[in-house]
Structures are given as C-alpha cells and as structure tokens.
Amino acid sequence: MAIIKVDHLTKTFDGKYAVADLSFELSAGKCVALLGPNGAGKTTTIRMLSGLLKPSNGTISFEGMKEGGDIREHIGYLPQYPVFHSWMTGTEFLVYVGQLANLTKQQASELAQKYLERVGIADAKNQRIGKYSGGMKQRLGIAQAMIHTPQLLMLDEPVSSLDPIGRREVLTLMEELKETTTILFSTHILSDAEEVSDDLLLMHQGEIVESGSIDGLRNKHQTTKIHLAFRENVDTYLTKLREIPSISEAHLERNEIQLAVSNIDHARTDILQIASQENWPLTKFEVSRTTLEDLFMKVVKR
Amino acid sequence: MQWMTIFKKEMLEYWRNFKWIWVPLVFILIAIMDPITTYYLPKILDTVGGLPDGAVFEMPETPPVAALMMSLTELSMFGVLVIVLTSMGLIAGERKSGVAELVLVKPVGYFTYITSKWGATLLLVWVSLIIGLLTSWYYVNLLFGDISFAALLQVIFFYGLWLTLVVSITTFVNTLFRTPGVVGFVSIAILIVMSIFNQIFSNKVTWFPNNLSSHIGDMLDSGTISGDLWGTTFIIILLIISLLFASLLTFRGKEMAN
C-alpha cells in the first residue's frame, strides 16, 4: 500500500531544475533511502514533501488525506542541520513542538519523556539544548520528528554530520524505528543506505535514475567479471582472449585484464583450457561481481 | 491552543533573555528623562557655572501637560527605536537560524504563528509603556502639577495604539526579509518616511497616524477627546489589521527553507 504518491514533482530555482519530473510511491512500513551525490536534489525533494518548499509543478498525495488537508499532520521531519531554541531544555522543546502538533500539554509531556528515553538522551532532558553535542541534537531532532507519531518520518542526511560513534547510534536507532514507522531518509553514503533501508531511490541531477529494493537492484545490476593478471606481455593475451566467444568484453585496467562474461562456467573453462595449453604466465585469476557501489559510480559519472 | 503555545513560549523566551527586565527599565528611563532634566535645568546650570554675570534668563514655567508630553516625544523617538530593535528578529530570526524549519513543519497555521508572536511583543510593549508612563506621571505630579489619573489612562490607551502600529509594521517587515538587521533597517526607514510625510502634510492629513501625539496633547489641554483623535485612532486600527493580513499574504508566498 502506498503511503505517499509523488507525481511529476518539479522544482526550479531561478529557471534551473533542482528536481525534475519526479514520480514515485512509498509503501507503508518500508524504510527507503534517497541516495545520491551532493546536489542531486535530495534535500529539495524532502523539503517539498514536508511542505517547506512549494513544488513548481506536480503533486504530492498522502494516503488518507482529505482534499486541502494539511500534509504536515502526517509527517515528521528532521532537517539536515536541525536548529533548536538553544535557551530551551530538551524536554521543553519537545513539549513545545508536541503542542504545536495539536497534542495536549499532558500528552506532549508523556510522549516527550517516552521519546527522550527512546533516543537515549533522557539524562540530559533538563539541560539547555545549547549545551548538547552534535549527536545529542540529532537524536533530539529525531525525537521532535516522532513526537506526534507521524505516519511518515523523513530524515534529511541524518548521519552525515556525525562522527563514527554518533553515526552508529543514529543508524541503530533508525533500525528500531523502522519497525513501527515508514521512513524516508536521504544520504550520499551507499553503505548507510544498504545498512538500514529496504528500498532505494537513486537520484542524480534532480531525477530518479534507478529505484527498487536493495536486493532487487543488486541482482538486476549484477554482472560477473573476471580479472586476470600476467607476469608479462599482457597485450598479446588480451587479443587472444578477445577471440574467445564466451567473453563479451575485454579491456586492460591497471595492468590487469578485466573480462565481462555472459556465462561464467563456459568462460572459466575456455580461459583455463587455453591458458594451460599455451602455458600462460598467469599470476591471478579472480571472479568478482559488480556491486551497488559500481552502479552508484556508473550513475553518478554518467 | 497553538496560539497560546507559541505565546507562552515567547513569554518564557523574554524572561530567559531578560527582555522582561530591560525593556520596562529602558522605557522608564526614556519616559522620565526629559521631565526631570527640565525641572532640574536651573540647578544644573548653576552647578556647572551658571549664566554669565548680567545675563538675565527667565526659565519658562512648564505646565504639567507639557511635561507629560515630553515623555511621549521621547518615547516616539527612543521608545520606538527600542521596540524595533527588540522585535526585528521576531520572525526573521527564527527563519534565519533555521528553527522555523522545525516549527513550521508542524501543523501550525501561519496566521497563528504571526499573530501569536505579534501578541507576545505587544504585551511586552504595553506593560513597558504602562510602567514608563506611570513613573513619568508620578514625577510630573510631584514636580510640575496635577494631571488626573483618568487623563493618564487615556494617554496610555491612545498612545499604546501608536506603539501597536509600530509593532505591526515591524511584524510585517519581518515577513518580508529573513535577516533581522535588514528588518530593523527597513522598519526604521518606513517610520522615518512616515514622520517626514507627516511634517510636510500634517495640516492636510489630520488623521495621519503620526499626528496622534499632537491630538493627545490637545486632549490633555481641553479635557475632551476630539473627533480628530478618534479619526486617527480609527485609521491606526485599520492599518494594524491591514498589516496583519498583509503579513499573512507575504508569509504564505515565502519558502520556509532556502
């Protein structure tokens, strides 16, 4: 079931496209990573989904929202660099935004307490936010986004500005949260996306270039490669290898030959046969699979 | 509900950043400065050496109404400046720092957001004005002569409307720009232009907001509220309401993030 549906979403700044004709759906209960290099339009997309920016074109429809309803009631949002009233304490701020999300003071206080514990900063709840560390602010940010139990939680680069420890903590927290909420988060780091998300939306230059489940994408883009290294005369073997029918492509990279093959079993037999017959000075024979990293790099360099 | 939430948050903020202390104090200072120095001027002149021998200088007698009006003149100058300075970051500050991004992503109506902040500033300004003018009234009664308490209340009421207009102008400019400094500059520029306009055309546009003080002076002299004072009051209230709606319209047109 789609929780949010985006149709031909476009945003231009001074005539330049930041987001161009984006269409996608998010399924309820999934954790989706919006992955892309810096400047791909991830933040702009999330800000449009949260109602902070007005789309130049296109529509965003939220499951179960009435015509003219306020999308902000259904979402929680953590900006990339959350800024709080530094003179408030963590509890005060959570109760404040909770009440702004139409909770009663009583409800807001209870939920504030609950989420402060959940994100692990209950010890500092009565400290001024000005004294919080970066990781604590990020967790407070997640707590304020969760306080009104939104159906969709949107996190903009939740771990990018954190040190390794803070990063690990927030990722673990997201793992827990995704059990109960639909999460959309942006990142430019593939491994973060692979670690917590079910689905990927790969963005580049304002467009979605690839999307699907992590496993699905892995299978779809997986091709097998063979790496060969020789002690000498690499070039002569390259020409010979190109003549083998089971090898679709061969090229030289850093003094190693890389082969793209359609059928790994045939190719292996063919290569090893000719290598032993002609006594090739092989120093390396390696079979590898392309990763999402390769896909990411391919997309970004395109 | 949300209105009160933001209003209370502003109150707490004014308390924590000491606005509740220094703004009333500054208003007291501004209000009593001129009446008191006027009263003590002869003594001050004596202390610093007096007038040259043979010079005859008759100090004009200051009537109590003129003394109280001195407070209003100073408030129109420095009081207004203080109001602009304290409220130039009212909305612009939150947008510039980025807090607005967290607040406005919650289902808060923009009108609620603007008017609750406007209301919070008004409470601060009115309380400061009341304290300031009460102090001034006390000294005027002590040093210059009687002004009735009822007259003072009328002064506070009508003059408070002028300061309300100042807050409304600054609130409106707050929705236009996201840098508090620019908001302050533009607000003051608007007030200066209004003042110059009033000085040139004051005879022709008797209901212009800046004429309020002179109508209040007439009220104190004659003891009756003139039609011109009511007219000016009407114009001011109309302007305040228009400015609030204009704020909403401009704010709606703005992106809440860069």
Side-chain angles (χ1 to χ4, degrees):
Chain A
M1 190 189 70
I3 190 168
I4 197 167
K5 198 162 177 265
V6 172
D7 258 320
H8 303 291
L9 192 66
T10 301
K11 180 73 187 176
T12 52
F13 291 116
D14 305 323
K16 276 187 189 156
Y17 283 92
V19 167
D21 201 29
L22 224 57
S23 298
F24 62 88
E25 287 181 4
L26 297 183
S27 314
K30 296 262 184 178
C31 178
V32 183
L34 193 58
L35 177 70
N38 293 329
K42 305 185 296 287
T43 298
T44 308
T45 306
I46 288 191
R47 280 178 171 169
M48 279 193 282
L49 291 179
S50 61
L52 285 168
L53 289 180
K54 297 173 188 62
S56 311
N57 214 340
T59 57
I60 299 162
S61 42
F62 202 86
E63 170 67 28
M65 194 176 77
K66 286 180 238 81
E67 188 72 27
D70 195 339
I71 196 169
R72 298 179 299 174
E73 287 174 15
H74 310 286
I75 53 145
Y77 163 70
L78 170 70
Q80 186 169 1
Y81 305 108
V83 183
F84 306 91
H85 291 296
S86 53
W87 54 269
M88 278 182 155
T89 67
T91 311
E92 279 170 348
F93 190 82
L94 286 186
V95 173
Y96 172 53
V97 293
Q99 285 183 283
L100 290 182
N102 293 320
L103 299 173
T104 64
K105 187 159 191 178
Q106 176 76 21
Q107 290 170 323
S109 310
E110 282 166 14
L111 286 166
Q113 188 59 37
K114 177 183 152 194
Y115 282 110
L116 280 166
E117 274 161 26
R118 179 108 187 244
V119 301
I121 48 171
D123 291 344
K125 64 181 178 183
N126 293 326
Q127 259 180 41
R128 300 270 162 105
I129 301 172
K131 292 188 174 151
Y132 280 23
S133 70
M136 288 162 81
K137 280 187 185 160
Q138 208 71 7
R139 290 156 187 232
L140 182 65
I142 293 178
Q144 67 79 31
M146 294 290 296
I147 187 114
H148 55 306
T149 353
Q151 287 151 280
L152 174 63
L153 184 62
M154 290 193 283
L155 312 170
D156 192 3
E157 301 272 3
V159 293
S160 304
S161 61
L162 298 178
D163 62 21
I165 299 167
R167 206 181 131 264
R168 170 74 14 237
E169 289 169 348
V170 171
L171 284 175
T172 316
L173 182 63
M174 285 169 66
E175 288 273 6
E176 289 169 28
L177 290 175
K178 80 178 198 186
E179 303 299 322
T180 49
T181 324
T182 311
I183 301 179
L184 173 69
F185 76 100
S186 71
T187 178
H188 58 262
I189 298 159
L190 177 75
S191 63
D192 292 343
E194 279 184 295
E195 194 169 332
V196 287
S197 66
D198 308 308
D199 291 351
L200 260 190
L201 289 169
L202 188 52
M203 250 188 122
H204 185 51
Q205 294 183 345
E207 291 175 41
I208 287 190
V209 284
E210 191 59 86
S211 65
S213 71
I214 294 244
D215 293 335
L217 285 178
R218 228 181 241 138
N219 291 335
K220 182 176 164 193
H221 290 277
Q222 206 160 56
T223 51
T224 312
K225 276 185 178 172
I226 296 175
H227 302 259
L228 294 176
F230 297 88
R231 207 164 52 233
E232 58 204 4
N233 296 338
V234 185
D235 297 329
T236 48
Y237 302 115
L238 186 64
T239 34
K240 282 186 177 165
L241 283 165
R242 283 192 171 129
E243 286 159 14
I244 300 175
S246 58
I247 289 168
S248 50
E249 197 199 315
H251 65 270
L252 200 62
E253 199 175 293
R254 274 181 257 117
N255 232 17
E256 276 188 12
I257 294 178
Q258 284 201 15
L259 307 170
V261 298
S262 41
N263 186 317
I264 178 69
D265 293 329
H266 287 168
R268 181 171 41 220
T269 322
D270 292 347
I271 294 167
L272 290 180
Q273 211 160 32
I274 187 170
S276 78
Q277 273 168 13
E278 302 185 7
N279 203 15
W280 286 4
L282 262 180
T283 58
K284 175 178 169 187
F285 180 94
E286 184 184 289
V287 178
S288 74
R289 292 169 186 280
T290 53
T291 56
L292 285 176
E293 185 82 43
D294 296 323
L295 168 66
F296 185 48
M297 293 313 288
K298 197 170 92 188
V299 162
V300 170
K301 280 180 182 162
R302 187 160 66 194
Chain B
M1 249 337 273
Q2 289 176 325
W3 200 93
M4 279 312 290
T5 303
I6 301 178
F7 184 82
K8 281 184 194 157
K9 175 242 139 195
E10 290 286 309
M11 289 295 113
L12 186 65
E13 183 166 13
Y14 293 171
W15 189 243
R16 296 236 172 115
N17 63 20
F18 305 112
K19 273 187 186 168
W20 271 124
I21 313 273
W22 73 262
V23 178
L25 277 179
V26 168
F27 265 66
I28 291 173
L29 217 69
I30 294 169
I32 62 170
M33 185 171 63
D34 221 6
I36 287 187
T37 44
T38 307
Y39 182 80
Y40 287 108
L41 192 60
K43 281 185 184 157
I44 296 170
L45 284 180
D46 272 348
T47 339
V48 296
L51 294 167
D53 285 343
V56 182
F57 184 61
E58 194 83 15
M59 280 290 162
E61 190 79 6
T62 313
V65 169
L68 190 63
M69 288 307 289
M70 285 175 182
S71 297
L72 291 197
T73 310
E74 296 300 318
L75 282 174
S76 296
M77 182 88 167
F78 297 107
V80 164
L81 197 66
V82 168
I83 293 174
V84 171
L85 287 177
T86 55
S87 57
M88 66 187 189
L90 191 64
I91 293 166
E94 290 198 358
R95 286 182 67 207
K96 190 177 166 68
S97 76
V99 185
E101 215 178 328
L102 288 183
V103 173
L104 292 172
V105 84
K106 298 283 181 253
V108 185
Y110 291 168
F111 202 57
T112 308
Y113 181 71
I114 295 167
T115 55
S116 58
K117 286 175 150 277
W118 171 80
T121 310
L122 280 189
L123 185 66
L124 177 71
V125 166
W126 276 82
V127 168
S128 305
L129 175 71
I130 291 169
I131 294 176
L133 281 184
L134 268 178
T135 318
S136 161
W137 175 72
Y138 171 77
Y139 279 105
V140 167
N141 273 336
L142 206 67
L143 306 176
F144 296 92
D146 281 351
I147 289 181
S148 73
F149 185 66
L152 174 74
L153 286 184
Q154 286 176 329
V155 172
I156 291 174
F157 170 75
F158 285 111
Y159 193 73
L161 283 174
W162 163 246
L163 295 188
T164 306
L165 179 65
V166 172
V167 173
S168 307
I169 290 172
T170 318
T171 306
F172 170 65
V173 180
N174 256 288
T175 60
L176 289 176
F177 306 100
R178 64 162 68 232
T179 314
V182 175
V183 173
F185 177 79
V186 173
S187 304
I188 288 170
I190 290 174
L191 289 163
I192 289 175
V193 168
M194 282 172 69
S195 164
I196 292 173
F197 180 87
N198 187 53
Q199 278 164 21
I200 299 173
F201 299 106
S202 64
N203 294 329
K204 294 190 177 117
V205 285
T206 47
W207 288 7
F208 196 69
N210 293 54
N211 273 332
L212 190 76
S213 290
S214 75
H215 296 324
I216 291 176
D218 294 344
M219 175 190 76
L220 286 174
D221 283 331
S222 66
T224 54
I225 300 171
S226 64
D228 279 344
L229 181 52
W230 282 123
T232 312
T233 304
F234 172 74
I235 294 288
I236 288 180
I237 292 176
L238 208 68
L239 273 174
I240 292 169
I241 296 171
S242 324
L243 279 168
L244 286 181
F245 279 99
S247 307
L248 176 66
L249 288 181
T250 50
F251 206 54
R252 263 198 200 142
K254 295 279 172 192
E255 306 274 26
M256 289 309 136
N258 351 327

